[in-house]
Amino acid sequence: MKCIVNIKVIIPKPKLLKSVYLENACGEGGSKNQRPINEVEWKVKFISKEYDAESETTTFTYEIENEDNRGDKDLSHWVIGSSGCTTATSTNRGGYRNSGPDPTTGVYGFKWDNGQGKGTTEEYTISFSGNVGKTNVCYAVKGGTYYGATTIEGPSCSSEGETFMKIICS
């Protein structure tokens, strides 16, 4: 006897992720000094998401340009959210996982506190075990007494989505 069975499983997004990563994201819950993202001098650009099959890691790369003609503030820190990713295998420039929301910006995620001088462009990387997905996440940049926040492409470790399974009997 031989049979083939195709199963399609749709896994909903966990409710905890919604409350932790979306409702309090993009600057809500931060200090009262939030400015629109186009009014701050730090521009964050998503560069790439690369999976290395040999090391079984996914690395996200970002670039921050601190425009020297738009204000006089150095970047104090920045935070990028993640959908379900709680542990990074590595970061550059001293990035680390926040245990709660960033007190200034209200964004949950991975934080770099090393700062960046005005008029400079720096690259930031963060790596995770496995082939991590990509989704829109919140990020915030802060300098002086104000910050800006919006969304960008970032890591998704949630199990949201569709899984297909094929069973063959013989």
Side-chain angles (χ1 to χ4, degrees):
M1 176 172 147
K2 188 173 184 178
C3 62
I4 297 176
V5 178
N6 289 315
I7 300 172
K8 178 179 176 182
V9 179
I10 299 175
I11 303 169
K13 189 172 197 171
K15 290 183 180 180
L16 176 62
L17 292 178
K18 181 179 179 192
S19 65
V20 171
Y21 296 101
L22 297 178
E23 289 176 7
N24 201 19
C26 297
E28 294 177 20
S31 71
K32 295 180 180 178
N33 295 326
Q34 183 176 5
R35 293 186 180 176
I37 197 69
N38 62 342
E39 292 182 14
V40 298
E41 55 263 38
W42 317 286
K43 301 301 171 209
V44 180
K45 179 179 176 184
F46 171 76
I47 302 297
S48 65
K49 171 203 166 223
E50 295 180 9
Y51 176 66
D52 181 338
E54 187 174 313
S55 66
E56 296 183 0
T57 59
T58 303
T59 300
F60 288 80
T61 303
Y62 299 88
E63 179 182 275
I64 298 182
E65 179 184 3
N66 196 342
E67 299 176 334
D68 60 355
N69 62 344
R70 294 201 54 210
D72 59 350
K73 304 293 183 197
D74 291 343
L75 178 70
S76 165
H77 67 271
W78 82 288
V79 182
I80 187 162
S82 62
S83 181
C85 302
T86 58
T87 305
T89 56
S90 68
T91 62
N92 73 335
R93 299 180 46 84
Y96 63 93
R97 173 78 181 162
N98 268 351
S99 59
D102 176 56
T104 307
T105 67
V107 175
Y108 285 83
F110 295 88
K111 181 176 183 177
W112 283 262
D113 263 332
N114 293 359
Q116 182 179 323
K118 63 183 174 183
T120 63
T121 300
E122 298 286 344
E123 189 172 275
Y124 296 82
T125 61
I126 185 166
S127 299
F128 301 92
S129 292
N131 193 357
V132 172
K134 180 173 65 171
T135 191
N136 281 336
V137 297
C138 294
Y139 78 88
V141 287
K142 192 252 181 211
T145 58
Y146 57 90
Y147 71 99
T150 192
T151 59
I152 196 166
E153 291 180 289
S156 174
C157 297
S158 71
S159 56
E160 177 185 13
E162 298 181 351
T163 301
F164 294 89
M165 186 183 327
K166 188 174 190 176
I167 299 171
I168 301 175
C169 309
S170 52

